[in-house]
Each structure stands twice: as structure tokens, then as C-alpha cells.
Amino acid sequence: MNTPASQFNADARRVSADLRHRGIIRTAMNNYEVVRDRRKAGFQDWQGARDLAARTKCETISHLDTHLEQFARLLEARGTVVHWAANAQHARDIILGIVRGKNARVIVKSKTMTSEEIHLNEALENAGCEVVESDLGEFIVQLREEPPYHLVFPAMHLTRAEIQQTFQRKSHDAPSDNPEDLTMVARRVLREKYLQADVGITGANFAIAETGMISITENEGNARLTAALPQTMITLIGIEKVLPRLEDLALFLPMLAVMGTGQPLACYNTLYGGPRQPGEADGPEEFHVVMLDNRRTTLLADAEQRDALGCIRCGACLNVCPIFCNVGGHTYGTVYGGPIGSVITPHLRGLHEWKHLGYASSLCGACSETCPVRIDLHHHLLQNRRNASYAKPIRWQKLAFQLFALVANRPRLWSLTTRLARLGQKFHGLIKGRALDPAQAWTRTREIQPIARQSFHEWWKERGK
Amino acid sequence: MNEREHLFTRIREALTVKTPAHHGDSLPTSAEHRCVLPTVGTTMDEQLALFAQNAADLKATFILVNHEDDLARALQVLADKEQWQRVATHQGGLANKLAGLLGLPLLMVDGGYDKSALALCDAGISECDALVAQTGSVVVTSMTAGGRALSCLPPHHVVITRRSQLVPDLTSAFSLIREKHAAHYPSMISFITGPSRTGDIERILVLGAHGPKQLTIFCIQD
């Protein structure tokens, strides 16, 4: 049967042996680390900045109801329609309702992972709309009918030659594989779409309670155009994205850019507080904000892992994760990959089916070390393992530990077992990693340390003679 | 109960279990922010030099001029060099006056305009609310810089600004926005930090992904 766990294992085995893939990712990540570290060094106190960011998110999440209430009230006061969606189906229905009400044919979207989470594109296409992703990376993976590979770099697994082929296959004129020429192809194609589009859909990086505004961070200008040209604008946003005050952005915008892409600040950081206001030259006549729960409140109820809601989706934990870099973004089979995805997916989509993600970690802690809002990621992975085994213990595992306890609690039995194991290990080499090996899953790719020729107990006894 | 009330009930129930705040849970002050963020220098001259340095790093063009007349001449040189055929601007006082001097067909965006016509303009000339030394950003709003698309749709964005508009850091930029607009915020406030860019293909930097390929900032030293 094809479960998320078996799919993960099969894909991980295949991708981690793919040297070409590893080469592409390694080159991209090396470059990222160099620029990121240079930017971090520009801060007077980077660790202090992480403390402040964690403090801010902790306060916000602990008073989420108050901040959300203020955010929605101020947005509504200036003519924005705020919708509340309990789950993915509900959010899709709300957005489809708006789109149908406008008789929209062409919809242009700027990058939003939340829309991936609710499978929005598929729903809109089934309703007869043409949906165009405008972020270059998203545009490329949309043409390839693939999900985004990475939270921040959706097409980082592709070479320029593959992108050129993709463009040509979709009958976009792409005479060379030069990244600049390829970017200009997308620019030309999308310009037309912006002018045709009836509805623009965006995500948001932050929701500012103090002023009732959403904040979008981007580099390409595609979100700016998505929010400027179509007559109707829809923003889909998770309820956890709220920040209390305008000035909190003075900290979060640079930190997001440094960790996301190694820039001091992304090219466009834009606040939107409503539809076109009297006296303004342009902008949508209607602005809808859809607030999505989709089991975020389940994660909120877990006091131990609540801090994971503070995630700003910078992707830094993916970039430093040895598992992500080897198994790749698509292997996770989730919208949110890497360590943060492994932490939150079991909460958002069910612990039992996604518990294997808790093991997609070497527990090296590089993710927790890098997280700009200090989410305790690798401990949360351990907690997910623990919670899964409490919720539904695996019989053979339980039996194995009972057996271990039985042996370990009896010194004579223990000493007999180690002596037998020493003997057994001599012959283990013959079957190590093969189908006959009972420990095959472990020994296929790992060495078992040889058992010491003499135990401490034996040495102590001998010494006394 | 409607969906909104259901959601708030779920949130309040979830929050009945408190969580230890390992890093504190009070909101930091702006003074605390300033202690950790990159330094910006103390004098106006240092901050202007920092802005110029940041603009250069971002591949934006920053041109200091002494007087409005010098700006008009510099703008004319730019228009000739790039062979502009038509430009767009807004009623800001300075932007429309200087753009008008070019003697080119002018698209005024105030009060609505044809989107396709704006897309055909060679440059969008706008004013701004502030320059941020710390990041090399230009702050524009939908009320003070000709709406949402003028600074983004044409391939070249030209900003007309005065030296007095320079603020040291993002924190001061946000307080400035609050002081200036709190009574009625514009529907869009954007921090523009260099010309549009992407690194989505093999992480190689390409300028002009969807927004302007060029950003030129003219600053009058008054």
C-alpha cells in the first residue's frame, strides 16, 4: 500500500543516490550560506535579534484572539471584506464564491504557500478559470505541473536547460538557456496576463494588527502588480501570521530577507490596508481577506509546540538541514517541507499518517540553531515521535523494549547476552545489510560498532585478582 | 454561531493552557530593536553616504543634485540617453513639473488611467515619502506616489526626492508613516529596495523580473 511513509522512504532512497540532484542543491546552498552569513554579520547582535523576534512572536501567539480581532476590525473599517475559513474546503468555497460572483476568467496569483495547502489552483481550474502563477519559480513549476520544491525557491532543483525545455514544450519562445533571457520570456508572457486578469490572489507574510494591513515580501514585483491591476484582490492568510505593531516589521522584514535569501531587505515589502481609497489613482475596487485555520488551532492547543506557529516561512531550516539537502523537497510529500514541515504537518494533517516525518532528522539541531524566531524544531520532532508512540504504540517496538528492560535489569543475563553478541558479531559480516540480516534496515547504510572485547564489569573483576 | 465565532472560541480554548515564555513575552521597544539591527551612523552626512552605498549595492542609480534646475537637466540627459518616447507621472507638485519639462507625451495617472497605456510608458516618474539609509529603500504610498502601478509597471522607475526626506532606519520610517498618515492610511505602502530582481533560475541574479529593470533616485540637496 502506498502510504505517505512508504512514499517518503522510496523517494528518499532514490533521490539521495542521485548525484546530479545533490550537486545542484549543494551549489545553491553553498552560495546561500556565504551571503547569509555576511548579512548576519551586518547586525549589531544577531542572537539578540533572534531573542527579540521570539519574544514578539510569543506575545503575539499568546494573545492571538485579541490581535486577530483588532486586525479584522480595522481592515473591515476601510472597506475590506474579511472571511473566516475553518478548513481547506471552506476556504476554497469562499474564494470560488468571490471568483464566480465576478465572472472571472483569468486569475493571476502571486506566490502563496497557503494556497498550495488548500489546493486552490486545482479548484479554480475545475471551475473553468485560467490560473497563472506570476512568481518566476512558481510559474516554472506550474508549467511542469509540479509542486514547489522549496518554501522560498520553488524551482531550485531545475537547471537552466530544463527550464528552457519546459518553456519550449509549453510553446513559449525560448531561444537560449541564459537565465536573463528565460526571465524575460516569463516577463513578456505574464505582462499580458496582468492586463487581462479579473482577479488577483496573493498570500501574505505578516498581518499588522495595529493598522489592519497585510504585508507582502517579494523580489520580483509580481505581487505588486497582482495587487495593482486586477479589479478584485483576494488575500489568503493563515491566522498565525499576525504581528501586533507596524514597527515590529523593522525587525522582521530584515530578518526574513537575511534568512530567506541572504539579502539585507527584499526588493518589495508592501503593506495593503484596503481596496482603492478615495483620491487614489488605481487599485482593486474590492479587497477580500480570507483567514484560514485549517487545524492551526490544533497546533495552538499544543502548548509544548505552540511556538511553531511563529514560523515566518523563511526556509532557513530547510537550507541547513542535512536531510532536506539529501532527500530533496519533493520527497516530503507535503506542502511545507524540511524541519518546519516535519514539525507542523503531523498537526495539520494527522499525527498517525505523518509521524514518519519525526524521523526525517538526524537531530543535529542545525534547524533550531538557525531559526530566526527560535522555534525549538528538533525537540519538536522528538516530541512528535513520543506523541505518536503514546497515541498508538507499535507492538513489536514495545515488545523489543520490554525484552531489553528484562535483560538489562539482570546482570547475569546481560553479561551472557553480550558474550553471545560478541560471538554473533563475528558472523554478522557474512550477512550484513543483506536480506537475511534481521537488522537490515539499519545495517544497509550504517556500521554497528563492535562490542568491546571486555566489559567494564569483566575488567574490574580481573583487576581485583 | 458563525464561523468567525467558532474560530475565536477554538483559539480561546487552545490558549487556556499557558506556555512558558523562554525568551520573554513582552513586546520589545524600538530602542531594543535599534540595539540589534545594523548600525546607521549618527550624522546626516554618514546616513546619506550609507544610502548611496546601499543603492549602489542594490544596482540602483542614486544621483545627488544641488537644485531643481540641475535635476531637470539631469532628467533630460537620462531621457535622451534612453530615448524615452512617453512617460507617466502624477500630480505631486515636483514630479509632474519636472516630467512636464521633458516635452514628451505625458500620462497622468491621477483619477484613473488606461493600464495598457501605462505599460507602454518608458518611465514612471514619482515622488516618495522617505528614503531609508539603513536599507537603501524608497518608501512610496498609493496616495503620495501616484497609486500602486506607477512605480512598478513601467520598465524604469524614477524617484524625485529631497535630502530632507532621508530617515536613518526602518524604525524611523514606520514612525514617520504613522505621524503622516495615521488619520487615513493609504491603501498601499511599499518599501522599494532596488530594481525588481529574481534568482529563481539557478539562483543567478537577473534584474527586472516583473517590476522595473531600472531604479533611478534623484535627490535634491536642499
Side-chain angles (χ1 to χ4, degrees):
Chain A
M1 203 179 67
N2 202 15
T3 61
S6 67
Q7 173 263 320
F8 183 96
N9 287 335
D11 287 357
R13 198 166 299 146
R14 180 175 52 78
V15 178
S16 51
D18 182 347
L19 295 180
R20 183 175 154 277
H21 172 267
R22 286 166 70 149
I24 295 171
I25 304 305
R26 197 181 315 121
T27 315
M29 291 310 178
N30 285 348
N31 180 35
Y32 161 84
E33 277 173 24
V34 173
V35 286
R36 178 202 61 193
D37 288 346
R38 196 186 307 147
R39 295 307 171 197
K40 275 163 71 174
F43 274 61
Q44 292 174 74
D45 179 2
W46 175 257
Q47 298 305 331
R50 293 176 70 209
D51 288 336
L52 298 186
R55 251 170 75 186
T56 309
K57 280 289 188 177
C58 182
E59 196 279 346
T60 314
I61 302 290
S62 313
H63 303 94
L64 189 59
D65 50 344
T66 325
H67 295 308
L68 268 182
E69 202 279 327
Q70 187 187 18
F71 169 70
R73 182 165 43 82
L74 290 173
L75 260 181
E76 283 166 344
R78 303 212 300 147
T80 303
V81 188
V82 181
H83 308 261
W84 305 87
N87 53 41
Q89 177 68 49
H90 194 184
R92 286 196 299 267
D93 290 345
I94 291 169
I95 294 171
L96 277 174
I98 301 166
V99 166
R100 285 208 185 100
K102 296 282 145 201
N103 280 322
R105 296 279 316 120
V106 181
I107 297 170
V108 66
K109 275 181 75 203
S110 70
K111 185 170 169 41
T112 145
M113 292 307 286
T114 317
S115 80
E116 299 285 334
E117 180 185 330
I118 67 165
H119 302 288
L120 182 62
N121 289 9
E122 204 185 327
L124 291 169
E125 279 162 7
N126 289 342
C129 298
E130 181 188 353
V131 186
V132 189
E133 291 287 351
S134 61
D135 171 86
L136 178 59
E138 293 280 347
F139 177 71
I140 294 166
V141 294
Q142 189 191 25
L143 291 179
R144 296 172 64 89
E145 295 171 31
E146 279 176 11
Y149 181 91
H150 182 287
L151 294 179
V152 179
F153 317 113
M156 76 176 293
H157 60 304
L158 300 170
T159 61
R160 58 181 82 186
E162 286 168 312
I163 294 166
Q164 184 193 15
Q165 282 162 15
T166 304
F167 281 5
Q168 284 167 344
R169 204 168 54 238
K170 296 287 168 172
S171 67
H172 297 311
D173 183 35
S176 91
D177 68 357
N178 179 317
E180 188 165 353
D181 293 343
L182 291 170
T183 304
M184 292 310 134
V185 173
R187 182 182 170 103
R188 260 198 320 277
V189 172
L190 284 159
R191 281 265 147 160
E192 279 174 38
K193 298 295 174 194
Y194 283 122
L195 297 173
Q196 291 168 7
D198 311 294
V199 173
I201 298 180
T202 77
N205 297 83
F206 305 102
I208 307 300
E210 178 203 338
T211 55
M213 292 175 186
I214 59 152
S215 172
I216 302 181
T217 295
E218 52 148 349
N219 272 310
E220 297 181 2
N222 61 313
R224 288 270 323 258
L225 292 174
T226 304
L229 300 173
Q231 283 302 293
T232 304
M233 172 174 171
I234 305 173
T235 297
L236 174 67
I237 177 170
I239 53 166
E240 82 284 16
K241 290 283 175 74
V242 72
L243 277 179
R245 307 163 303 179
L246 212 45
E247 64 256 38
D248 293 319
L249 292 175
L251 180 70
F252 278 91
L253 296 180
M255 290 185 82
L256 174 61
V258 168
M259 296 316 274
T261 52
Q263 291 171 282
L265 200 65
C267 194
Y268 299 102
N269 287 285
T270 312
L271 291 151
Y272 295 99
R276 179 184 186 174
Q277 301 292 301
E280 291 183 347
D282 55 8
E285 297 302 324
E286 269 184 40
F287 181 32
H288 297 265
V289 171
V290 182
M291 306 297 299
L292 179 71
D293 178 354
N294 211 21
R295 299 185 65 166
R296 283 164 173 76
T297 43
T298 314
L299 180 52
L300 185 68
D302 185 339
E304 206 173 38
Q305 296 189 38
R306 185 177 289 165
D307 63 345
L309 285 174
C311 173
I312 57 172
R313 306 279 188 265
C314 65
C317 61
L318 284 64
N319 302 342
V320 298
C321 178
I323 306 299
F324 179 89
C325 291
N326 282 302
V327 306
H330 287 151
T331 297
Y332 289 84
T334 58
V335 176
Y336 307 106
I340 184 66
S342 300
V343 167
I344 64 175
T345 306
H347 294 271
L348 303 182
R349 295 175 70 177
L351 179 58
H352 186 64
E353 211 183 352
W354 297 95
K355 65 179 180 194
H356 60 282
L357 293 180
Y359 298 87
S361 166
S362 63
L363 298 179
C364 65
C367 46
S368 312
E369 192 65 28
T370 202
C371 177
V373 292
R374 290 197 187 275
I375 301 170
D376 201 1
L377 289 156
H378 70 295
H379 285 115
H380 293 342
L381 291 174
L382 278 173
Q383 288 151 2
N384 278 345
R385 293 185 191 182
R386 178 203 63 201
N387 295 348
S389 80
Y390 276 160
K392 199 173 177 188
I394 300 171
R395 204 171 298 150
W396 70 260
Q397 253 181 16
K398 226 178 145 176
L399 207 70
F401 276 109
Q402 278 168 350
L403 193 69
F404 174 77
L406 187 93
V407 175
N409 276 324
R410 290 167 180 76
R412 290 223 174 124
L413 195 55
W414 179 258
S415 131
L416 180 71
T417 314
T418 39
R419 261 179 282 154
L420 283 174
R422 260 179 233 140
L423 194 68
Q425 219 174 22
K426 288 207 171 102
F427 299 99
H428 181 240
L430 298 173
I431 53 161
K432 180 180 169 290
R434 308 228 185 110
L436 282 172
D437 188 350
Q440 188 208 18
W442 179 267
T443 54
R444 191 171 41 224
T445 51
R446 300 172 184 88
E447 293 301 325
I448 291 186
Q449 288 297 310
I451 296 169
R453 256 181 261 137
Q454 192 177 35
S455 72
F456 177 77
H457 199 175
E458 286 161 352
W459 173 78
W460 188 261
K461 251 186 180 162
E462 212 177 271
R463 181 184 156 277
K465 276 179 194 166
Chain B
M1 268 206 303
N2 60 22
E3 194 42 60
R4 178 197 159 115
E5 285 158 14
H6 279 299
L7 201 146
F8 276 90
T9 308
R10 287 200 296 276
I11 293 174
R12 290 189 183 115
E13 271 171 17
L15 287 175
T16 52
V17 184
K18 299 289 172 219
T19 175
H22 298 294
H23 311 285
D25 65 352
S26 60
L27 291 176
T29 61
S30 288
E32 286 180 282
H33 284 167
R34 284 198 169 112
C35 288
V36 298
L37 288 165
T39 49
V40 287
T42 44
T43 68
M44 191 75 174
D45 285 333
E46 278 172 4
Q47 287 162 6
L48 194 68
L50 178 63
F51 184 89
Q53 180 58 50
N54 280 329
D57 290 346
L58 292 160
K59 300 192 171 24
T61 313
F62 179 57
I63 301 169
L64 266 175
V65 292
N66 286 322
H67 194 264
E68 239 179 82
D69 299 339
D70 301 330
L71 205 164
R73 272 191 293 277
L75 192 63
Q76 186 68 56
V77 171
L78 187 65
D80 293 343
K81 192 180 106 199
E82 302 209 333
Q83 301 179 329
W84 291 348
Q85 301 298 315
R86 55 177 74 80
V87 295
T89 188
H90 65 106
Q91 292 286 355
L94 200 52
N96 52 314
K97 183 177 157 196
L98 288 162
L101 292 175
L102 292 173
L104 295 169
L106 209 57
L107 174 73
M108 299 299 295
V109 295
D110 314 82
Y113 58 90
D114 175 19
K115 288 185 252 179
S116 319
L118 181 61
L120 289 173
C121 288
D122 298 298
I125 303 176
S126 84
E127 294 178 14
C128 71
D129 274 36
L131 302 179
V132 187
Q134 187 179 39
T135 56
S137 310
V138 179
V139 184
V140 300
T141 80
S142 48
M143 276 180 193
T144 50
R148 298 188 182 193
L150 176 66
S151 54
C152 201
L153 194 58
H156 194 153
H157 179 205
V158 178
V159 182
I160 310 282
T161 174
R162 293 181 186 278
R163 187 180 160 144
S164 55
Q165 290 186 295
L166 183 75
V167 298
D169 55 15
L170 289 171
T171 306
S172 0
F174 284 115
S175 21
L176 180 85
I177 289 168
R178 191 181 289 133
E179 280 162 30
K180 194 169 166 187
H181 297 292
H184 193 87
Y185 281 111
S187 73
M188 183 210 76
I189 302 164
S190 191
F191 287 70
I192 299 175
T193 312
S196 158
R197 62 197 57 213
T198 185
D200 273 348
I201 301 175
E202 293 188 5
R203 314 243 21 233
I204 291 164
L205 177 71
V206 177
L207 295 184
H210 294 291
K213 297 176 186 181
Q214 292 183 72
L215 173 66
T216 305
I217 304 156
F218 286 108
C219 180
I220 306 170
Q221 306 218 43
D222 43 11

